[in-house]
Each structure stands twice: as C-alpha cells, then as structure tokens.
Amino acid sequence: MAQQDSDMNTSFSTLNVNAMEFVPNFGSTFCTPTPTKMNTDENEEAIPAPVAAIPTETIADKTPENESDPLDSWDVEEEPVSTPDDDELGDLEEVEEGAIKIAKKKMPKVEENKSKKEHVNVVFIGHVDAGKSTIGGQIMSLTGMVDKRTLEKYEREAREKSRESWYLSWALDTNQEERDKGKTVEVGRAYFETERKHFTILDAPGHKSFVPNMIGGAAQADLAVLVLSARKGEFETGFDRGGQTREHAMLAKTAGVKHLVVLVNKMDDPTVNWDENRFNECRDKILPYLKKLGFNPAKDLTFMPVSGLNGLGLKDQIDESICPWYRGEAFIPFIDDLPSLNRKLEGPFIMPIVDKYKDMGTVVMGKVESGCARKGQNLLVMPNRTQVSVDQLWSDDEEVTAVSGGENIKIKLKGIEEEDVSPGFVLCDASQPIKTGKKFDAQVVILEHKSIICAGYSAVMHIHCAAEEITVNALICLVDKKTGEKSKTRPRFVKQDQVAIMRIECSGLICLEQFKLFPQMGRFTLRDENKTIAIGKVLKVIE
C-alpha cells in the first residue's frame, strides 16, 4: 500500500512540468483579442481596458489586488492575459469587415432580462448507492424547489414498489428505467437558489458502466460534492480498488473542479448512529488520497457529516443532542458563503454542447465557459462551421435575453437541424471561432495500465463534453517526474506512472485549445476497457 501511495503521489506531482499548472483556475486566461467595451448594467462594474501580454509565470506569482488573502479565493491567477492589439478594437458591433456582423437592431437598449445572481454548478459524485440523488432531492425539498404534494406522490409510488427510501432521488432520476432500477444513468439536472446565489445541481451516475456520463457532468462543474456512505462495509466497498470513490475524485480534479466538499452520508444508520469515530475513520482513510490528487485540506477541501434521508446537516446545523461533536456550518450555507468565482466575461463566447433535443427547433444545452450571448446574436457551431442565430435562451428553465460565463443554459438555434449537432460540438463566437484539429501534441501521465503503450495504441479520449477515439501516432519524449527534464531520445514505449509527450490523432475533427490558453478546452482523460488509464493536457494543435 505504501508503495502504491508513493507512486500515486509522484504521478500527480508531475502532472505538469511547471509545478501547479494543471490545477485549474476559474479565471482561465484566453489569448484572444477582446473588445474593450462590454454591455454593462448600471449595477455592474465596467470591465477595465485590457493590458498588454504578460508572461504566464509572472501572472501566477502576482497577488490579486483588493484581496487581503489570496488563499481564500478560488482563483489565484486573476489578471487576464490579452494581446497588444486589444486597443485597436472598437465596440462589439465593430468587428472586422470579413466577419459576420451582429445585427444592431437585435440588441435592445432596454435593461436586459438576465439572471442577476451568481451561478455556481455543483456536481454530486461518488460510489453507487452512496446517496447522491437522495441528497439532491432533499436539498430541492428543503429549498422549496419541489412542492410537498409532488414529494408525497413520489413517496406513495415508491412505497408501492417497496422502495420507500428512494422517493427523494426521484426528484432527479426522472425516467422510469432509473426509478425501477434505483440507479442514476444520465446526469440529473435541477437547480435551487439562495438569497445570493443560483446553484445548478448535476447529479452524476455512480456506476462504473456510466463513467463517461459522469465525466460530461464533471466537465460543467465549478464545485464537486463527493458523497461517502458511512454505513459499515459500504464506505470500504466504495473506496477499495474497483470502487468508484477514487476514480470519481480523480476525474473531478482532472475536469477542473477546484473545491471539493466531502459529505459523509448515512450517519443516522443504525451501524453508525452519529459516531464521531466512524466519521473520523472515513475522513482519515480518504484524506491522503485526496491530497495526492492536489486538493489542499486548508483551503479547498471540507468534510461534513450528514443524513440525506432525514435532511440533517444540509440546510440547518445538526441539533447538538444528535451530534454534539460537529458544530460546523450546514452544507447549503457553507457553499453559499464560498468566495465568488472570477468569471472571464470579456472573451469570445464559447459553450461546449452537452446535449441536444428537438422542440419546435433545435435546442442545445451546456455551460458557458467564456463570454456572453444575446438573443438574436449570430454564432457558429464548430467543427461543422454552421452559422446559426440565437432564437431563445433559457438559464435553468427561466427564459432570458442574455447569458454569461458560468451559467448552465439551453439555447434554441435557427439555421441547423437537430441531427447535425452532436454532444462535444462547440457553440462559439462567429468572429473568433474556436480552434479545431485532428492531430495534437500532448503531455500525458499514465495512471494505471497493465501493459506498455507504444505508437499505434488506441483509446477513448474525453475532452470537455466530447468523447472521441484516438490513436497514439508517435512518442516524442519522456518527461522526468522530479526534474521536468525531457529525454533526448525517443522512447519506444511508455508504461504505468511515466509522463510522456506524445502525438495523438483523433478519428474525427474535434474542438480543442492549448491548455495554457484555455484550460477547460485543453485537459482530457484517456479511458480503455472501462478504466481511466491516463490524464493529459494539450500542448500544441498540429492540424
């Protein structure tokens, strides 16, 4: 075990040649010309004029202004990296002549119907049957997003099927197959609001057969909630090799989730009965693993005891008579008090498409990674280069006329048929389309693979919301984990725990960016035979 831990430690510490470069930041820097003026409401601050290009290293070292303690913030790199040509750009409407012009008449001067609260996307992850859907349903019940009558109906139906304890999860598991089996398959969606923030719940499936769906959910998240079961035997099953607790935590980190809340669920179970020793045992077993993944217990890792079925520890602090040893904040107030995310609203609009359906037109869903979009705006669907216009916008089921970074949205598009869109396509600014390619160089860490990997090896790559079959064309060099030095000779193969730079070719054209320019579009995982075998980042797009 000690040997395995040290291997794990080194593989994550050298995930990047530059110390903590792989750890995401929400203020992802994006080197594209940005307009100097943005549409601002009266109550919003105007975005300052861009600065000249600065080397990334110096930015990472800077302490953000007006921030006494940068460690409390979720974003360390606060200053945008932009190009020197920014000053030559005018307003949004005055984009260069060759580009598609945005119709001025569609930009209403009146105050826009736009969500005012900060949007935070929360993904629930963990082993199958840990209680993710039940906690999600309970949160919706406690915040009044599901009315009492609907819950009573679910409870009645669940009792008829002898599944009394499952009724809360039905608020998120909406299709019949999921309810009959008691297993989440698709990523469930719901939302709830506090006075300050608007939270989108993404309920990821726990079963190992549906990990690709879970990766799609984690790619949209800002905050991950890892649910553990404290019940005797269940925690051990989930955490041991073959359980999904480890893989889910690792995939969340790779997908760019910065803050992790660990909910130790089922504390009310007769085998646990709110026992402090059991809570500490679960925490102490998983903590070393989470540290190796790069989570810092001091600032981006929090443990809480809860009971999803009874709703204890979710909205209000647990009563002292039940749990005298934990006097910390409850889950909802805690995530409400987390520091605001530093969204970059001044870049070009980018939204990877997670799902699509037909409803009097083509509707696509996803999370806005960068920029803003308005009703009537012309956009581009990549990699097909199809020109579309925005017909309607919804931010979590509420119709709006404008959306911005961080929101989980649906857009009805004009100019494209539903069958011409696939999950993994990207909706982007018509004047600054995202990069596409089939071949790229990447730095890859082999996490777990029995045999060797050499040129000609194929696997499935998950990058943002896209899943694509890839082949390793050539191994360029090995990277020394401790020093970051690259080997002079080309390796003939790579094996477990090694870091290599390799040329990868996709079976089709995909949308991607260099990791250092746009982390969310440049980090990926490789999976083979239902296992995550490697994680990596795009260094250079070749063609």
Side-chain angles (χ1 to χ4, degrees):
M1 185 65 188
Q3 175 63 37
Q4 175 200 329
D5 280 0
S6 63
D7 290 352
M8 201 56 210
N9 203 359
T10 42
S11 73
F12 269 89
S13 62
T14 56
L15 190 51
N16 30 22
V17 181
N18 291 341
M20 290 299 282
E21 191 184 335
F22 204 93
V23 176
N25 79 344
F26 290 97
S28 49
T29 51
F30 192 66
C31 290
T32 44
T34 56
T36 53
K37 256 202 252 178
M38 286 291 292
N39 184 52
T40 53
D41 289 332
E42 289 166 37
N43 57 351
E44 289 178 15
E45 286 186 356
I47 290 159
V51 292
I54 311 165
T56 341
E57 291 78 17
T58 57
I59 292 165
D61 298 335
K62 279 194 177 184
T63 308
E65 285 180 40
N66 307 326
E67 187 133 0
S68 55
D69 184 8
L71 292 178
D72 292 338
S73 168
W74 284 12
D75 359 61
V76 182
E77 299 177 28
E78 297 256 281
E79 310 223 347
V81 177
S82 44
T83 55
D85 305 329
D86 288 340
D87 299 324
E88 297 162 24
L89 284 167
D91 286 356
L92 251 174
E93 291 87 358
E94 298 165 15
V95 188
E96 53 193 280
E97 284 177 32
I100 299 157
K101 286 187 180 172
I102 298 160
K104 286 187 184 178
K105 63 181 178 184
K106 299 267 172 98
M107 302 284 186
K109 291 290 176 199
V110 292
E111 190 179 330
E112 288 181 330
N113 165 20
K114 186 178 178 182
S115 181
K116 296 285 188 287
K117 290 181 179 176
E118 184 192 352
H119 281 243
V120 179
N121 301 282
V122 184
V123 67
F124 282 83
I125 57 174
H127 190 64
V128 66
D129 279 345
K132 300 180 291 296
S133 301
T134 299
I135 287 175
Q138 184 69 266
I139 287 171
M140 290 171 67
S141 164
L142 291 170
T143 52
M145 301 310 289
V146 179
D147 59 59
K148 203 170 179 187
R149 192 175 295 173
T150 310
L151 277 178
E152 282 167 2
K153 175 172 153 265
Y154 290 160
E155 196 169 1
R156 213 167 35 248
E157 289 171 7
R159 200 176 291 118
E160 283 165 17
K161 295 186 178 183
S162 305
R163 300 277 193 250
E164 290 90 342
S165 64
W166 288 1
Y167 77 98
L168 283 162
S169 68
W170 287 10
L172 286 144
D173 293 344
T174 48
N175 78 39
Q176 203 53 48
E177 184 198 358
E178 290 185 335
R179 289 181 175 185
D180 291 344
K181 288 186 178 173
K183 276 196 186 91
T184 306
V185 177
E186 299 290 330
V187 174
R189 283 164 182 277
Y191 65 92
F192 68 96
E193 290 193 339
T194 60
E195 283 179 20
R196 294 162 51 197
K197 291 179 185 174
H198 176 109
F199 292 94
T200 301
I201 296 176
L202 301 159
D203 176 33
H207 199 278
K208 65 170 175 269
S209 307
F210 310 121
V211 168
N213 294 353
M214 176 264 158
I215 294 172
Q220 305 163 64
D222 305 309
L223 167 71
V225 179
L226 179 62
V227 182
L228 307 177
S229 168
R231 186 181 283 164
K232 285 275 190 292
E234 278 191 14
F235 168 75
E236 287 74 9
T237 309
F239 186 60
D240 290 345
R241 280 207 173 278
Q244 296 313 111
T245 305
R246 289 166 180 265
E247 187 175 20
H248 276 206
M250 186 263 293
L251 288 169
K253 185 66 177 169
T254 313
V257 167
K258 182 76 170 64
H259 203 105
L260 185 72
V261 179
V262 183
L263 295 183
V264 182
N265 189 26
K266 305 192 184 180
M267 289 295 290
D268 59 323
D269 190 81
T271 63
V272 184
N273 202 17
W274 296 97
D275 179 19
E276 184 179 4
N277 294 333
R278 179 59 173 165
F279 174 80
N280 291 341
E281 184 188 349
C282 296
R283 184 190 63 199
D284 296 344
K285 274 189 183 172
I286 199 168
L287 192 58
Y289 181 76
L290 296 176
K291 280 183 185 171
K292 277 167 200 154
L293 297 186
F295 289 107
N296 180 343
K299 59 172 184 170
D300 47 31
L301 196 53
T302 313
F303 288 82
M304 295 180 179
V306 297
S307 163
L309 194 60
N310 300 329
L312 297 173
L314 293 176
K315 191 176 182 207
D316 301 313
Q317 193 180 48
I318 307 164
D319 194 273
E320 199 165 348
S321 60
I322 298 170
C323 180
W325 49 269
Y326 180 78
R327 305 316 305 142
E329 236 177 338
F331 173 66
I332 295 172
F334 174 79
I335 58 174
D336 196 31
D337 290 343
L338 283 171
S340 290
L341 306 170
N342 188 24
R343 307 283 190 196
K344 294 298 178 200
L345 308 179
E346 70 270 29
F349 179 77
I350 290 174
M351 186 197 93
I353 294 168
V354 176
D355 208 353
K356 45 93 188 244
Y357 61 90
K358 211 173 192 146
D359 180 14
M360 313 280 287
T362 304
V363 181
V364 297
M365 301 159 69
K367 174 191 164 194
V368 183
E369 290 294 349
S370 158
C372 308
R374 294 172 186 78
K375 198 171 173 177
Q377 189 171 339
N378 289 319
L379 297 171
L380 213 54
V381 175
M382 296 293 279
N384 288 6
R385 303 195 77 84
T386 313
Q387 289 185 26
V388 293
S389 67
V390 178
D391 192 19
Q392 274 177 291
L393 287 164
W394 294 269
S395 177
D396 270 331
D397 300 335
E398 278 183 43
E399 193 167 345
V400 291
T401 57
V403 291
S404 56
E407 292 186 42
N408 227 299
I409 63 167
K410 292 180 197 156
I411 302 187
K412 188 187 279 189
L413 300 173
K414 273 186 192 164
I416 194 166
E417 290 302 315
E418 185 250 353
E419 53 268 24
D420 297 331
V421 183
S422 294
F425 282 16
V426 176
L427 195 60
C428 56
D429 199 307
S431 59
Q432 290 171 279
I434 191 153
K435 208 173 266 179
T436 57
K438 274 183 86 167
K439 273 189 194 171
F440 60 93
D441 288 349
Q443 183 173 311
V444 180
V445 183
I446 315 299
L447 296 175
E448 187 183 350
H449 194 59
K450 288 189 184 76
S451 60
I452 58 172
I453 291 174
C454 43
Y457 174 79
S458 60
V460 175
M461 174 176 78
H462 293 267
I463 182 165
H464 54 86
C465 304
E468 192 73 37
E469 198 164 313
I470 59 104
T471 307
V472 176
N473 267 7
L475 300 174
I476 297 168
C477 65
L478 289 174
V479 179
D480 188 290
K481 290 181 167 186
K482 293 186 174 67
T483 62
E485 280 181 27
K486 297 171 185 171
S487 63
K488 300 281 188 286
T489 54
R490 286 197 171 206
R492 289 165 58 198
F493 61 85
V494 287
K495 55 183 195 293
Q496 188 166 317
D497 292 333
Q498 285 188 315
V499 183
I501 292 176
M502 50 181 78
R503 181 153 298 174
I504 292 173
E505 185 168 3
C506 305
S507 54
L509 204 61
I510 60 162
C511 301
L512 74 172
E513 275 289 350
Q514 282 183 47
F515 177 81
K516 65 177 182 186
L517 298 185
F518 200 160
Q520 204 55 40
M521 304 296 288
R523 57 166 76 90
F524 60 87
T525 51
L526 296 181
R527 286 179 58 80
D528 192 15
E529 296 174 359
N530 264 347
K531 284 197 182 93
T532 301
I533 57 155
I535 52 182
K537 53 181 187 176
V538 177
L539 299 178
K540 188 165 82 176
V541 182
I542 308 295
E543 59 180 56

